[in-house]
Protein backbone atom coordinates (compact mmCIF):
# COMPACT_ATOMS: atom_id res chain seq x y z
CA UNK A 1 0.00 0.00 0.00
CA UNK A 2 1.25 3.53 -0.74
CA UNK A 3 2.62 5.45 2.22
CA UNK A 4 0.40 8.34 3.25
CA UNK A 5 0.33 10.98 5.94
CA UNK A 6 3.32 12.90 7.39
CA UNK A 7 5.82 10.26 6.27
CA UNK A 8 4.76 10.66 2.65
CA UNK A 9 4.96 14.45 2.91
CA UNK A 10 8.46 14.34 4.40
CA UNK A 11 9.56 11.84 1.77
CA UNK A 12 8.14 14.02 -0.99
CA UNK A 13 9.90 17.10 0.34
CA UNK A 14 13.22 15.26 0.52
CA UNK A 15 12.82 14.00 -3.04
CA UNK A 16 11.86 17.46 -4.30
CA UNK A 17 14.85 19.05 -2.55
CA UNK A 18 17.23 16.41 -3.91
CA UNK A 19 15.94 16.87 -7.46
CA UNK A 20 16.16 20.66 -7.14
CA UNK A 21 19.84 20.68 -6.21
CA UNK A 22 21.16 17.64 -8.08
CA UNK A 23 23.04 17.72 -11.34
CA UNK A 24 24.68 21.12 -10.84
CA UNK A 25 28.48 21.41 -10.95
CA UNK A 26 30.60 21.83 -7.84
CA UNK A 27 31.76 25.24 -9.04
CA UNK A 28 28.17 26.47 -9.13
CA UNK A 29 27.76 25.73 -5.43
CA UNK A 30 30.88 27.69 -4.56
CA UNK A 31 29.49 30.56 -6.63
CA UNK A 32 26.15 30.14 -4.85
CA UNK A 33 27.92 30.21 -1.47
CA UNK A 34 29.71 33.40 -2.45
CA UNK A 35 26.37 34.99 -3.38
CA UNK A 36 24.78 33.97 -0.08
CA UNK A 37 27.69 35.29 2.00
CA UNK A 38 27.68 38.52 0.03
CA UNK A 39 23.97 39.13 0.64
CA UNK A 40 24.34 38.32 4.33
CA UNK A 41 26.38 41.52 4.50
CA UNK A 42 23.92 43.78 2.66
CA UNK A 43 24.06 46.57 5.25
CA UNK A 44 24.79 49.74 3.27
CA UNK A 45 21.95 49.45 0.73
CA UNK A 46 19.43 48.67 3.49
CA UNK A 47 20.38 51.20 6.15
CA UNK A 48 22.02 54.06 4.22
CA UNK A 49 19.11 56.49 4.60
CA UNK A 50 18.60 55.68 8.29
CA UNK A 51 22.35 56.00 8.94
CA UNK A 52 22.54 59.45 7.37
CA UNK A 53 19.39 60.86 9.00
CA UNK A 54 19.40 59.24 12.42
CA UNK A 55 23.10 58.66 13.16
CA UNK A 56 24.69 61.55 11.26
CA UNK A 57 21.80 64.00 11.56
CA UNK A 58 21.59 64.96 7.88
CA UNK A 59 18.34 65.96 6.16
CA UNK A 60 16.11 63.56 4.27
CA UNK A 61 16.92 65.42 1.04
CA UNK A 62 20.64 64.85 1.51
CA UNK A 63 20.02 61.19 2.34
CA UNK A 64 17.96 60.84 -0.84
CA UNK A 65 20.77 62.42 -2.86
CA UNK A 66 23.35 60.00 -1.45
CA UNK A 67 21.10 57.00 -2.07
CA UNK A 68 20.59 58.19 -5.66
CA UNK A 69 24.36 58.55 -6.13
CA UNK A 70 24.75 55.00 -4.83
CA UNK A 71 22.27 53.87 -7.49
CA UNK A 72 23.98 55.94 -10.18
CA UNK A 73 27.22 54.14 -9.38
CA UNK A 74 25.46 50.87 -10.16
CA UNK A 75 24.27 52.22 -13.51
CA UNK A 76 27.79 53.27 -14.49
CA UNK A 77 29.43 50.02 -13.39
CA UNK A 78 26.95 47.75 -15.18
CA UNK A 79 28.42 48.40 -18.61
CA UNK A 80 32.04 48.74 -17.46
CA UNK A 81 31.87 45.46 -15.54
CA UNK A 82 30.30 43.75 -18.55
CA UNK A 83 33.26 44.71 -20.72
CA UNK A 84 35.71 43.65 -17.99
CA UNK A 85 33.96 40.29 -17.72
CA UNK A 86 34.58 39.54 -21.39
CA UNK A 87 38.09 41.04 -21.62
CA UNK A 88 39.69 40.24 -18.26
CA UNK A 89 37.59 37.21 -17.41
CA UNK A 90 34.87 36.34 -14.91
CA UNK A 91 37.15 35.52 -11.98
CA UNK A 92 39.38 38.65 -12.16
CA UNK A 93 36.31 40.89 -12.48
CA UNK A 94 34.70 39.35 -9.40
CA UNK A 95 37.94 39.61 -7.40
CA UNK A 96 38.43 43.27 -8.35
CA UNK A 97 34.78 44.11 -7.63
CA UNK A 98 34.57 42.32 -4.28
CA UNK A 99 37.88 43.52 -2.85
CA UNK A 100 37.07 47.07 -3.99
CA UNK A 101 33.64 46.82 -2.39
CA UNK A 102 35.12 45.64 0.89
CA UNK A 103 37.59 48.55 0.94
CA UNK A 104 35.05 51.22 -0.07
CA UNK A 105 32.37 50.05 2.38
CA UNK A 106 34.86 50.10 5.24
CA UNK A 107 36.01 53.56 4.15
CA UNK A 108 32.42 54.84 4.06
CA UNK A 109 31.99 54.02 7.74
CA UNK A 110 34.76 56.48 8.63
CA UNK A 111 33.62 59.37 6.42
CA UNK A 112 32.18 62.48 8.11
CA UNK A 113 32.34 65.24 5.50
CA UNK A 114 29.12 65.43 3.38
CA UNK A 115 31.02 65.58 0.08
CA UNK A 116 33.24 62.68 1.10
CA UNK A 117 30.23 60.58 2.11
CA UNK A 118 28.51 61.28 -1.22
CA UNK A 119 31.65 60.46 -3.21
CA UNK A 120 32.39 57.21 -1.39
CA UNK A 121 28.70 56.18 -1.60
CA UNK A 122 28.92 56.55 -5.38
CA UNK A 123 32.09 54.41 -5.32
CA UNK A 124 30.33 51.76 -3.20
CA UNK A 125 27.46 51.70 -5.70
CA UNK A 126 29.92 51.12 -8.54
CA UNK A 127 31.95 48.39 -6.89
CA UNK A 128 29.05 46.51 -5.26
CA UNK A 129 27.24 46.12 -8.60
CA UNK A 130 30.32 45.32 -10.67
CA UNK A 131 30.39 41.61 -9.89
CA UNK A 132 26.84 40.88 -11.13
CA UNK A 133 27.59 40.52 -14.87
CA UNK A 134 30.58 38.29 -14.05
CA UNK A 135 28.56 36.07 -11.69
CA UNK A 136 25.76 35.62 -14.23
CA UNK A 137 28.20 35.00 -17.09
CA UNK A 138 30.15 32.41 -15.08
CA UNK A 139 26.91 30.69 -14.14
CA UNK A 140 25.98 30.47 -17.82
CA UNK A 141 29.45 29.11 -18.61
CA UNK A 142 29.46 26.28 -16.08
CA UNK A 143 25.81 25.16 -16.03
CA UNK A 144 24.24 23.09 -18.80
CA UNK A 145 21.57 24.93 -20.84
CA UNK A 146 18.76 22.69 -19.59
CA UNK A 147 19.72 23.41 -15.95
CA UNK A 148 20.17 27.18 -16.20
CA UNK A 149 16.69 28.29 -15.14
CA UNK A 150 17.02 26.11 -12.03
CA UNK A 151 20.53 27.44 -11.34
CA UNK A 152 19.50 31.09 -11.71
CA UNK A 153 16.50 30.41 -9.49
CA UNK A 154 18.67 28.88 -6.76
CA UNK A 155 21.00 31.86 -6.97
CA UNK A 156 18.07 34.28 -6.73
CA UNK A 157 16.84 32.29 -3.73
CA UNK A 158 20.25 32.70 -2.07
CA UNK A 159 20.11 36.46 -2.69
CA UNK A 160 16.75 36.79 -0.99
CA UNK A 161 17.57 34.38 1.84
CA UNK A 162 20.77 36.26 2.60
CA UNK A 163 18.99 39.61 2.38
CA UNK A 164 16.18 38.46 4.69
CA UNK A 165 18.64 37.25 7.33
CA UNK A 166 20.88 40.30 7.03
CA UNK A 167 17.96 42.75 7.29
CA UNK A 168 16.92 41.31 10.63
CA UNK A 169 20.44 40.90 11.99
CA UNK A 170 21.71 44.23 10.69
CA UNK A 171 18.87 46.02 12.45
CA UNK A 172 20.21 44.86 15.82
CA UNK A 173 23.78 45.71 14.76
CA UNK A 174 22.68 49.23 13.77
CA UNK A 175 21.23 49.80 17.24
CA UNK A 176 24.66 49.04 18.68
CA UNK A 177 26.92 50.66 16.07
CA UNK A 178 26.52 51.64 12.43
CA UNK A 179 30.29 51.44 12.03
CA UNK A 180 30.13 47.79 13.09
CA UNK A 181 27.61 47.22 10.31
CA UNK A 182 29.89 48.79 7.70
CA UNK A 183 32.88 46.81 8.86
CA UNK A 184 30.82 43.62 9.02
CA UNK A 185 29.72 44.04 5.40
CA UNK A 186 33.31 44.74 4.38
CA UNK A 187 34.49 41.57 6.11
CA UNK A 188 31.79 39.37 4.54
CA UNK A 189 32.44 40.84 1.08
CA UNK A 190 36.14 40.15 1.47
CA UNK A 191 35.22 36.57 2.47
CA UNK A 192 33.42 36.29 -0.90
CA UNK A 193 36.60 37.31 -2.67
CA UNK A 194 38.51 34.63 -0.74
CA UNK A 195 35.99 31.98 -1.84
CA UNK A 196 36.31 33.10 -5.46
CA UNK A 197 40.11 33.12 -5.26
CA UNK A 198 40.42 29.68 -3.67
CA UNK A 199 37.54 27.74 -5.21
CA UNK A 200 36.54 29.19 -8.59
CA UNK A 201 38.74 28.75 -11.67
CA UNK A 202 38.22 30.99 -14.67
CA UNK A 203 35.30 29.86 -16.84
CA UNK A 204 35.53 32.24 -19.80
CA UNK A 205 35.32 30.18 -23.01
CA UNK A 206 38.59 30.15 -24.91
CA UNK A 207 38.68 31.52 -28.41
CA UNK A 208 39.85 29.11 -31.11
CA UNK A 209 42.56 30.65 -33.26
CA UNK A 210 43.68 29.46 -36.67
CA UNK A 211 46.84 30.28 -38.58
CA UNK A 212 46.64 30.70 -42.32
CA UNK A 213 49.76 30.24 -44.37
CA UNK A 214 51.78 33.46 -44.41
CA UNK A 215 49.42 35.19 -41.97
CA UNK A 216 49.20 35.74 -38.23
CA UNK A 217 46.83 33.83 -36.02
CA UNK A 218 43.30 35.15 -35.90
CA UNK A 219 40.23 34.21 -33.93
CA UNK A 220 37.50 32.14 -35.56
CA UNK A 221 34.90 34.16 -33.64
CA UNK A 222 34.70 37.94 -34.13
CA UNK A 223 34.89 40.27 -31.14
CA UNK A 224 31.57 41.34 -29.63
CA UNK A 225 31.70 45.04 -28.85
CA UNK A 226 29.12 47.23 -27.16
CA UNK A 227 28.08 48.46 -30.60
CA UNK A 228 27.08 44.92 -31.52
CA UNK A 229 25.06 44.64 -28.32
CA UNK A 230 23.22 47.89 -29.07
CA UNK A 231 22.50 46.75 -32.64
CA UNK A 232 21.01 43.47 -31.43
CA UNK A 233 17.38 44.50 -31.78
CA UNK A 234 15.79 41.48 -30.14
CA UNK A 235 18.07 41.58 -27.12
CA UNK A 236 17.72 45.34 -26.64
CA UNK A 237 13.97 44.89 -26.79
CA UNK A 238 14.27 42.37 -23.94
CA UNK A 239 16.32 44.95 -22.01
CA UNK A 240 13.61 47.55 -22.60
CA UNK A 241 10.87 45.17 -21.45
CA UNK A 242 12.97 44.23 -18.42
CA UNK A 243 13.19 47.93 -17.57
CA UNK A 244 9.40 48.25 -17.70
CA UNK A 245 8.86 45.21 -15.47
CA UNK A 246 11.54 46.25 -12.98
CA UNK A 247 10.01 49.75 -12.89
CA UNK A 248 6.81 48.08 -11.67
CA UNK A 249 8.56 45.94 -9.05
CA UNK A 250 10.50 48.93 -7.67
CA UNK A 251 7.25 50.62 -6.68
CA UNK A 252 6.93 48.08 -3.88
CA UNK A 253 9.90 49.72 -2.16
CA UNK A 254 9.38 53.29 -3.36
CA UNK A 255 5.70 54.16 -3.76
CA UNK A 256 4.03 51.50 -1.60
CA UNK A 257 5.35 52.83 1.76
CA UNK A 258 4.41 56.37 0.75
CA UNK A 259 0.90 55.33 -0.29
CA UNK A 260 0.37 53.31 2.89
CA UNK A 261 1.56 56.24 4.98
CA UNK A 262 -0.87 58.54 3.20
CA UNK A 263 -3.66 56.09 4.03
CA UNK A 264 -2.77 56.29 7.73
CA UNK A 265 -0.73 53.09 8.09
CA UNK A 266 2.51 53.06 10.07
CA UNK A 267 6.01 52.03 9.02
CA UNK A 268 5.50 48.84 11.03
CA UNK A 269 2.39 48.09 8.96
CA UNK A 270 4.41 48.52 5.77
CA UNK A 271 7.16 46.29 7.18
CA UNK A 272 4.60 43.60 7.87
CA UNK A 273 3.13 43.81 4.37
CA UNK A 274 6.46 43.86 2.54
CA UNK A 275 7.79 41.00 4.66
CA UNK A 276 5.36 38.81 2.74
CA UNK A 277 7.54 39.33 -0.33
CA UNK A 278 10.68 37.94 1.29
CA UNK A 279 8.88 35.05 2.97
CA UNK A 280 7.16 34.00 -0.26
CA UNK A 281 10.40 34.09 -2.25
CA UNK A 282 12.28 32.02 0.32
CA UNK A 283 9.46 29.48 0.66
CA UNK A 284 8.16 29.31 -2.92
CA UNK A 285 11.15 29.98 -5.20
CA UNK A 286 12.40 26.40 -5.38
CA UNK A 287 9.03 24.59 -5.74
CA UNK A 288 7.79 27.12 -8.30
CA UNK A 289 11.01 26.72 -10.29
CA UNK A 290 10.50 22.95 -10.37
CA UNK A 291 7.12 23.63 -11.95
CA UNK A 292 8.29 26.20 -14.54
CA UNK A 293 11.85 25.22 -15.47
CA UNK A 294 10.91 23.23 -18.60
CA UNK A 295 7.94 25.34 -19.65
CA UNK A 296 7.72 27.86 -22.48
CA UNK A 297 9.62 31.02 -21.36
CA UNK A 298 7.38 33.19 -23.56
CA UNK A 299 4.27 32.27 -21.63
CA UNK A 300 6.06 32.60 -18.30
CA UNK A 301 7.29 36.11 -19.09
CA UNK A 302 3.89 37.19 -20.36
CA UNK A 303 2.24 35.74 -17.25
CA UNK A 304 4.74 37.32 -14.86
CA UNK A 305 4.37 40.73 -16.54
CA UNK A 306 0.59 40.60 -16.17
CA UNK A 307 0.81 39.40 -12.56
CA UNK A 308 3.22 42.21 -11.72
CA UNK A 309 1.09 44.89 -13.35
CA UNK A 310 -2.25 43.75 -12.00
CA UNK A 311 -0.80 42.84 -8.63
CA UNK A 312 0.15 46.48 -8.15
CA UNK A 313 -3.06 47.55 -9.86
CA UNK A 314 -5.04 45.80 -7.13
CA UNK A 315 -3.32 48.05 -4.58
CA UNK A 316 -5.75 50.78 -5.62
CA UNK A 317 -8.48 48.82 -3.79
CA UNK A 318 -6.45 48.05 -0.65
CA UNK A 319 -7.91 49.41 2.58
CA UNK A 320 -6.38 47.08 5.18
CA UNK A 321 -3.07 45.41 5.93
CA UNK A 322 -4.56 42.06 4.87
CA UNK A 323 -5.48 43.39 1.42
CA UNK A 324 -2.10 45.09 1.02
CA UNK A 325 -0.44 41.78 1.93
CA UNK A 326 -2.62 40.02 -0.65
CA UNK A 327 -1.47 42.37 -3.40
CA UNK A 328 2.15 41.77 -2.34
CA UNK A 329 1.49 38.03 -2.72
CA UNK A 330 0.35 38.54 -6.32
CA UNK A 331 3.32 40.56 -7.52
CA UNK A 332 5.76 38.46 -5.47
CA UNK A 333 4.67 35.39 -7.45
CA UNK A 334 5.38 37.42 -10.59
CA UNK A 335 8.88 38.14 -9.29
CA UNK A 336 9.48 34.46 -8.48
CA UNK A 337 8.58 33.47 -12.06
CA UNK A 338 10.19 36.42 -13.84
CA UNK A 339 13.68 36.52 -12.29
CA UNK A 340 15.10 33.11 -13.34
CA UNK A 341 13.14 32.98 -16.60
CA UNK A 342 14.30 36.35 -17.83
CA UNK A 343 17.91 35.77 -16.79
CA UNK A 344 17.84 32.46 -18.67
CA UNK A 345 16.46 34.23 -21.74
CA UNK A 346 19.27 36.79 -21.61
CA UNK A 347 21.83 33.97 -21.62
CA UNK A 348 20.02 32.29 -24.50
CA UNK A 349 20.18 35.46 -26.58
CA UNK A 350 23.81 36.21 -25.69
CA UNK A 351 26.84 35.24 -27.80
CA UNK A 352 29.13 32.90 -25.88
CA UNK A 353 32.03 35.37 -26.08
CA UNK A 354 29.83 38.38 -25.34
CA UNK A 355 28.05 37.15 -22.23
CA UNK A 356 29.68 39.73 -19.99
CA UNK A 357 28.61 42.69 -22.12
CA UNK A 358 25.12 41.29 -22.59
CA UNK A 359 24.72 40.63 -18.86
CA UNK A 360 26.05 44.11 -18.14
CA UNK A 361 23.42 45.67 -20.39
CA UNK A 362 20.71 43.55 -18.77
CA UNK A 363 21.91 44.57 -15.29
CA UNK A 364 21.73 48.19 -16.46
CA UNK A 365 17.96 47.86 -16.96
CA UNK A 366 17.48 47.11 -13.25
CA UNK A 367 19.97 49.73 -12.08
CA UNK A 368 18.30 52.37 -14.26
CA UNK A 369 14.86 51.47 -12.93
CA UNK A 370 16.15 51.93 -9.38
CA UNK A 371 16.98 55.52 -10.35
CA UNK A 372 13.83 56.29 -12.34
CA UNK A 373 11.23 54.57 -10.14
CA UNK A 374 11.47 57.03 -7.20
CA UNK A 375 11.15 60.00 -9.55
CA UNK A 376 8.20 58.59 -11.48
CA UNK A 377 6.40 57.21 -8.43
CA UNK A 378 6.78 60.43 -6.44
CA UNK A 379 5.70 62.62 -9.35
CA UNK A 380 2.55 60.60 -10.08
CA UNK A 381 1.52 60.39 -6.42
CA UNK A 382 2.09 64.12 -5.84
CA UNK A 383 0.26 65.31 -8.96
CA UNK A 384 -2.41 62.66 -9.60
CA UNK A 385 -2.63 60.40 -6.56
CA UNK A 386 -1.61 56.83 -5.76
CA UNK A 387 -4.63 55.34 -7.56
CA UNK A 388 -3.31 56.63 -10.88
CA UNK A 389 0.11 55.13 -10.16
CA UNK A 390 -1.36 51.69 -9.51
CA UNK A 391 -3.41 51.99 -12.68
CA UNK A 392 -0.27 52.93 -14.60
CA UNK A 393 1.44 49.82 -13.22
CA UNK A 394 -1.39 47.68 -14.62
CA UNK A 395 -0.96 49.36 -18.00
CA UNK A 396 2.82 48.86 -17.96
CA UNK A 397 2.37 45.18 -17.09
CA UNK A 398 -0.03 44.76 -20.02
CA UNK A 399 2.35 46.55 -22.40
CA UNK A 400 5.27 44.39 -21.22
CA UNK A 401 3.24 41.18 -21.64
CA UNK A 402 2.22 42.19 -25.16
CA UNK A 403 5.83 43.12 -25.90
CA UNK A 404 7.11 39.70 -24.86
CA UNK A 405 4.42 38.02 -26.98
CA UNK A 406 5.36 40.01 -30.08
CA UNK A 407 9.11 39.76 -29.49
CA UNK A 408 9.53 36.05 -29.00
CA UNK A 409 7.24 34.53 -31.58
CA UNK A 410 9.24 31.67 -33.11
CA UNK A 411 11.95 31.73 -30.43
CA UNK A 412 10.71 28.52 -28.82
CA UNK A 413 11.18 26.66 -32.08
CA UNK A 414 14.91 27.30 -32.09
CA UNK A 415 17.23 24.95 -30.23
CA UNK A 416 20.35 25.94 -28.38
CA UNK A 417 23.76 24.70 -29.40
CA UNK A 418 25.45 21.90 -27.57
CA UNK A 419 22.63 21.58 -25.10
CA UNK A 420 23.34 18.97 -22.49
CA UNK A 421 26.86 18.33 -23.82
CA UNK A 422 28.75 20.52 -21.36
CA UNK A 423 30.63 22.17 -24.20
CA UNK A 424 31.17 25.63 -25.57
CA UNK A 425 30.42 25.85 -29.25
CA UNK A 426 32.63 28.31 -31.05
CA UNK A 427 31.88 29.69 -34.49
CA UNK A 428 28.39 28.24 -34.70
CA UNK A 429 25.52 30.22 -36.09
CA UNK A 430 27.43 33.52 -36.10
CA UNK A 431 25.11 36.48 -36.47
CA UNK A 432 25.76 40.18 -36.55
CA UNK A 433 26.58 40.25 -32.84
CA UNK A 434 28.26 36.87 -32.55
CA UNK A 435 27.26 33.26 -32.15
CA UNK A 436 23.83 32.83 -30.59
CA UNK A 437 22.92 29.92 -28.40
CA UNK A 438 19.44 30.02 -29.91
CA UNK A 439 20.72 29.75 -33.48
CA UNK A 440 20.37 26.57 -35.51
CA UNK A 441 23.37 24.29 -35.18
CA UNK A 442 25.83 24.43 -38.08
CA UNK A 443 29.27 22.81 -38.44
CA UNK A 444 31.51 24.29 -35.79
CA UNK A 445 34.69 23.94 -33.82
CA UNK A 446 33.86 22.41 -30.44
CA UNK A 447 36.07 23.27 -27.48
CA UNK A 448 35.69 21.63 -24.03
CA UNK A 449 34.62 24.15 -21.40
CA UNK A 450 37.36 25.05 -18.88
CA UNK A 451 34.98 23.91 -16.13
CA UNK A 452 33.23 20.64 -16.79
CA UNK A 453 29.56 20.76 -15.79
CA UNK A 454 29.74 17.36 -14.19
CA UNK A 455 27.25 16.22 -11.61
CA UNK A 456 27.59 17.81 -8.17
CA UNK A 457 30.04 16.78 -5.48
Amino acid sequence: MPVTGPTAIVSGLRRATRESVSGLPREFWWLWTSTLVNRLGAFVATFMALYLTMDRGYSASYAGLVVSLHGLGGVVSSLVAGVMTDRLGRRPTMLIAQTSTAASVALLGFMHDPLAIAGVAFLVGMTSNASRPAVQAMMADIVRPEDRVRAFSLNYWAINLGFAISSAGAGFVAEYSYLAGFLGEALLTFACAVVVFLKLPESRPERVKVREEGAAEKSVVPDVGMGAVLRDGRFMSVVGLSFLVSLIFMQGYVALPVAMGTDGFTSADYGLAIAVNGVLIVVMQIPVTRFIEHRDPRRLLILSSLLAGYGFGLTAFADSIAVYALTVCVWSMAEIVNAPTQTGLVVRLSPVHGRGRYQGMYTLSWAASALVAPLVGGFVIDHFGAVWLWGACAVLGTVAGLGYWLLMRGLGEEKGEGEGQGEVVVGAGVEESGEKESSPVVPAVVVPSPISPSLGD
Side-chain angles (χ1 to χ4, degrees):
M1 294 180 63
V3 179
T4 59
T7 303
I9 294 175
V10 172
S11 176
L13 288 174
R14 287 178 178 174
R15 184 174 63 255
T17 302
R18 185 170 58 251
E19 292 175 356
S20 296
V21 302
S22 64
L24 295 171
R26 180 183 293 106
E27 292 79 10
F28 165 80
W29 290 112
W30 284 115
L31 193 60
W32 184 91
T33 301
S34 176
T35 298
L36 178 62
V37 173
N38 185 47
R39 296 309 296 171
L40 286 172
F43 182 85
V44 172
T46 307
F47 290 91
M48 175 73 80
L50 288 175
Y51 165 69
L52 293 174
T53 55
M54 297 184 65
D55 190 69
R56 293 296 186 189
Y58 292 111
S59 66
S61 297
Y62 173 76
L65 173 63
V66 173
V67 172
S68 294
L69 286 172
H70 181 273
L72 181 61
V75 172
V76 173
S77 70
S78 297
L79 299 180
V80 175
V83 174
M84 290 174 60
T85 297
D86 286 335
R87 289 191 174 180
L88 297 181
R90 285 63 158 142
R91 184 171 179 265
T93 301
M94 282 190 280
L95 289 173
I96 292 172
Q98 290 168 353
T99 53
S100 299
T101 300
S104 59
V105 167
L107 180 63
L108 182 61
F110 293 99
M111 293 294 101
H112 296 277
D113 181 76
L115 288 178
I117 291 174
V120 177
F122 175 78
L123 181 62
V124 171
M126 285 189 64
T127 57
S128 61
N129 283 276
S131 62
R132 292 182 182 180
V135 169
Q136 293 170 338
M138 177 175 280
M139 207 168 294
D141 294 338
I142 65 180
V143 176
R144 296 176 301 184
E146 63 267 29
D147 292 331
R148 284 176 186 157
V149 169
R150 181 159 53 99
F152 285 126
S153 179
L154 287 168
N155 191 65
Y156 189 67
W157 182 77
I159 290 172
N160 283 278
L161 178 62
F163 182 76
I165 296 173
S166 70
S167 297
F172 291 105
V173 173
E175 290 185 2
Y176 169 73
S177 168
Y178 278 94
L179 178 59
F182 286 113
L183 296 179
E185 177 170 348
L187 182 62
L188 286 171
T189 306
F190 184 74
C192 293
V194 173
V195 171
V196 171
F197 181 77
L198 295 177
K199 297 296 183 178
L200 288 174
E202 177 57 57
S203 68
R204 181 177 56 171
E206 297 179 357
R207 290 181 177 274
V208 174
K209 294 185 178 182
V210 296
R211 183 188 298 274
E212 297 179 358
E213 187 174 352
E217 284 189 347
K218 64 179 182 179
S219 174
V220 172
V221 182
D223 290 331
V224 180
M226 287 306 302
V229 178
L230 295 172
R231 290 192 299 271
D232 189 335
R234 172 175 275 179
F235 174 76
M236 290 305 299
S237 298
V238 170
V239 171
L241 293 172
S242 170
F243 173 76
L244 291 182
V245 174
S246 60
L247 200 62
I248 298 172
F249 285 132
M250 289 294 174
Q251 300 307 324
Y253 310 96
V254 175
L256 184 59
V258 175
M260 290 185 68
T262 303
D263 289 342
F265 293 96
T266 66
S267 57
D269 294 330
Y270 167 72
L272 184 62
I274 201 65
V276 174
N277 173 256
V279 171
L280 267 182
I281 291 175
V282 171
V283 173
M284 298 298 296
Q285 185 72 65
I286 293 178
V288 169
T289 299
R290 280 173 49 79
F291 178 75
I292 69 173
E293 65 175 322
H294 297 303
R295 297 182 184 274
D296 188 347
R298 297 169 299 176
R299 295 180 180 178
L300 295 175
L301 289 172
I302 293 170
L303 174 64
S304 63
S305 299
L306 295 176
L307 282 176
Y310 289 104
F312 277 97
L314 289 173
T315 310
F317 305 99
D319 57 0
S320 67
I321 296 179
V323 178
Y324 274 113
L326 178 62
T327 64
V328 173
C329 285
V330 176
W331 59 260
S332 294
M333 291 303 297
E335 187 178 353
I336 289 170
V337 173
N338 179 272
T341 306
Q342 188 156 251
T343 307
L345 175 65
V346 169
V347 173
R348 187 175 181 180
L349 295 177
S350 304
V352 172
H353 294 283
R355 280 177 178 155
R357 289 176 173 86
Y358 273 67
Q359 289 290 351
M361 183 63 72
Y362 171 62
T363 302
L364 177 64
S365 68
W366 285 87
S369 70
L371 277 181
V372 175
L375 302 176
V376 173
F379 178 83
V380 174
I381 289 177
D382 286 342
H383 291 80
F384 303 101
V387 173
W388 281 92
L389 177 63
W390 308 133
C393 287
V395 172
L396 284 179
T398 303
V399 170
L402 179 61
Y404 280 119
W405 179 75
L406 292 173
L407 180 66
M408 294 190 295
R409 287 182 297 177
L411 180 65
E413 299 171 4
E414 298 171 348
K415 187 176 181 180
E417 300 164 355
E419 289 190 357
Q421 299 173 11
E423 297 170 328
V424 176
V425 181
V426 181
V430 177
E431 296 186 8
E432 183 180 46
S433 59
E435 71 282 19
K436 299 283 187 180
E437 286 197 349
S438 56
S439 304
V441 178
V442 297
V445 179
V446 180
V447 183
S449 173
I451 297 180
S452 175
S454 56
L455 299 180
D457 288 335

